[in-house]
Amino acid sequence: MGLLTLILPRLTPAKQNGYNQHLSKIAVCELGTMMEHNLPHTIALLTRTPTALDALLRDLPEAWTFRNEGENTWSAFDVVGHLIHGERTDWMPRARMVLQFGETKAFEPFDRWGQERESQGKSLAQLLDEFARLRSENLGELRALNLRQEDLELRGRHPVLGVVTLSELLATWAAHDLTHLHQISRVMAHQYREAVGPWNAYLGVLQCAGHSSP
Amino acid sequence: MGLLTLILPRLTPAKQNGYNQHLSKIAVCELGTMMEHNLPHTIALLTRTPTALDALLRDLPEAWTFRNEGENTWSAFDVVGHLIHGERTDWMPRARMVLQFGETKAFEPFDRWGQERESQGKSLAQLLDEFARLRSENLGELRALNLRQEDLELRGRHPVLGVVTLSELLATWAAHDLTHLHQISRVMAHQYREAVGPWNAYLGVLQCAGHSSP
């Protein structure tokens, strides 16, 4: 922003105002770039997700947890199964692959419908227990790696996205929890789409059409 | 669906297929209309929200809970303040107005920025405690009303939306929790928008532009 600070005093007040607005956008961007990956922050979030989902979903009437948004969409129950499948096959297995093979070997593609195997014949309470157990084991393993900043820059190979860093993989693990918390709240709110009557115009979650890529 | 069952056998297979698709849409709609407001389901959800938010947010690093999505947007901390403000001024006060005045007196407009007063000088932990306490008190009061089905059809007057039912008000209370859980997960995920690197294309929550009406 040094350059703009030099330019600003030479402008008319109106133009200064325009530049100030521009400047505040730059400030937002700079704030944006400051939010880089922080491993302790990632672990803090990953630790809390199973407890938060448990508090939200356990023993909730099935009308909330087993209904979805229509054909080929997921219920809260399905999402917990998907999170379990990720704990088994996605995050720590891929982190190990980065450490072991670097860019030389691509990750196994993730099966986005793999939760059907995980969920079959199980209750939501069982899935919540299993998710908590697997997450706890995986975080134990992650902590035991004692990753240093330079380790986070190590690169692996995603089968579609190409080269990715260990840092990006671990940040995505946390953001993936949030994308599914976002989804669960939307799927559940959908069940009351008609019940809320004219308030549906005010409820942002009911305007969300879902955004996950196919 | 009786009429379509009569029509279908007279059609060619291709047209039958088209009608079957139409039929499955009707089935979805019918399922939709079945999801009417259920007071015990509403209470079950309203009971869980404070515990779920507590599990997610308490003692989480402030980089997650105090950052927002840019100017004039809310952080998770702001959202909890807003939920507190709703407990004090929105849901049960409006329910009491329906019972007392019916359509003759409009609700007080809700102050969507009222959380600033609620939050000032408080920690997130204090807000979480306060939200849990107020919610518990309000649900105690709601249960004590022993509302019957016919009570839920009672009408009140919203200052903008016009005539609304008690049923719609209470369903909205629950859906409002979900809209803010949806928002919190989006605001938090936004903090890792850059950290996830190329995975941002896969994370639905990062495609959500926010949808709340102004």
Side-chain angles (χ1 to χ4, degrees), chain B residues 2-178:
Chain B
L3 184 61
L4 281 167
T5 317
L6 285 171
I7 293 169
L8 279 174
R10 300 182 199 170
L11 300 174
T12 61
K15 280 195 180 165
Q16 273 197 27
N17 188 37
Y19 272 106
N20 277 334
Q21 285 177 7
H22 182 62
L23 212 86
S24 84
K25 278 185 195 157
I26 292 175
V28 168
C29 290
E30 285 184 351
L31 200 66
T33 56
M34 284 165 56
M35 296 170 196
E36 56 193 25
H37 181 226
N38 177 306
L39 187 56
H41 290 181
T42 295
I43 292 176
L45 183 68
L46 289 171
T47 306
R48 280 162 176 79
T49 310
T51 331
L53 287 181
D54 197 286
L56 182 66
L57 300 176
R58 189 178 293 262
D59 299 328
L60 199 61
E62 293 190 355
W64 287 121
T65 53
F66 278 78
R67 287 179 187 265
N68 61 20
E69 296 173 289
E71 210 177 345
N72 289 323
T73 66
W74 293 357
S75 65
F77 176 83
D78 296 328
V79 172
V80 180
H82 168 79
L83 290 169
I84 288 172
H85 193 61
E87 293 304 305
R88 282 199 211 284
T89 67
D90 192 335
W91 313 107
M92 283 308 294
R94 287 180 170 189
R96 284 193 296 268
M97 281 199 67
V98 174
L99 295 170
Q100 195 171 352
F101 300 107
E103 300 174 44
T104 62
K105 200 170 165 185
F107 307 145
E108 291 290 319
F110 181 70
D111 179 0
R112 292 162 61 91
W113 291 88
Q115 75 271 14
E116 286 177 15
R117 287 191 301 282
E118 307 289 352
S119 311
Q120 213 153 31
K122 291 182 187 151
S123 68
L124 178 55
Q126 284 175 307
L127 292 193
L128 289 165
D129 288 341
E130 201 165 340
F131 177 46
R133 181 179 59 76
L134 289 167
R135 173 61 59 90
S136 168
E137 287 173 11
N138 280 329
L139 289 180
E141 192 188 340
L142 176 63
R143 285 195 191 91
L145 289 174
N146 274 319
L147 296 172
R148 298 155 304 171
Q149 190 57 39
E150 56 264 40
D151 297 324
L152 293 175
E153 300 312 316
L154 291 172
R155 290 158 174 240
R157 184 170 297 279
H158 186 281
V160 177
L161 300 172
V163 173
V164 291
T165 66
L166 184 55
S167 171
E168 288 164 348
L169 174 70
L170 298 174
T172 303
W173 192 2
H176 180 264
D177 276 8
L178 293 169

Side-chain angles (χ1 to χ4, degrees), chain A residues 52-208:
Chain A
L53 287 181
D54 197 286
L56 183 67
L57 300 176
R58 189 178 292 263
D59 300 328
L60 200 60
E62 293 190 354
W64 287 121
T65 53
F66 278 77
R67 287 179 188 263
N68 60 21
E69 295 173 290
E71 210 177 345
N72 288 324
T73 66
W74 293 357
S75 66
F77 176 83
D78 295 329
V79 172
V80 180
H82 167 79
L83 290 169
I84 288 172
H85 193 60
E87 293 304 305
R88 281 199 212 285
T89 68
D90 192 335
W91 312 108
M92 282 310 291
R94 288 181 168 189
R96 283 193 296 269
M97 280 199 69
V98 174
L99 295 171
Q100 196 172 352
F101 300 107
E103 299 174 44
T104 62
K105 201 171 164 184
F107 306 147
E108 291 290 320
F110 181 70
D111 178 1
R112 291 163 62 90
W113 290 89
Q115 75 272 11
E116 286 178 14
R117 288 191 301 283
E118 307 288 352
S119 311
Q120 212 153 31
K122 291 181 187 152
S123 69
L124 178 56
Q126 284 174 305
L127 292 192
L128 289 166
D129 288 341
E130 201 165 341
F131 177 47
R133 182 179 59 76
L134 290 167
R135 173 60 59 89
S136 168
E137 288 172 10
N138 280 329
L139 289 180
E141 193 188 340
L142 176 62
R143 285 194 191 93
L145 289 175
N146 275 318
L147 295 172
R148 298 154 305 171
Q149 191 57 36
E150 56 264 41
D151 298 324
L152 293 175
E153 300 312 316
L154 290 172
R155 290 159 173 236
R157 184 170 298 279
H158 185 281
V160 178
L161 301 172
V163 173
V164 290
T165 66
L166 184 55
S167 172
E168 288 164 350
L169 175 69
L170 298 175
T172 303
W173 191 1
H176 180 264
D177 276 9
L178 294 169
T179 213
H180 287 295
L181 187 59
H182 185 255
Q183 179 185 22
I184 285 174
S185 55
R186 187 189 71 226
V187 174
M188 286 169 59
H190 173 74
Q191 312 312 325
Y192 266 11
R193 188 174 290 277
E194 294 178 22
V196 299
W199 267 287
N200 61 19
Y202 283 10
L203 292 163
V205 68
L206 296 178
Q207 323 309 323
C208 180

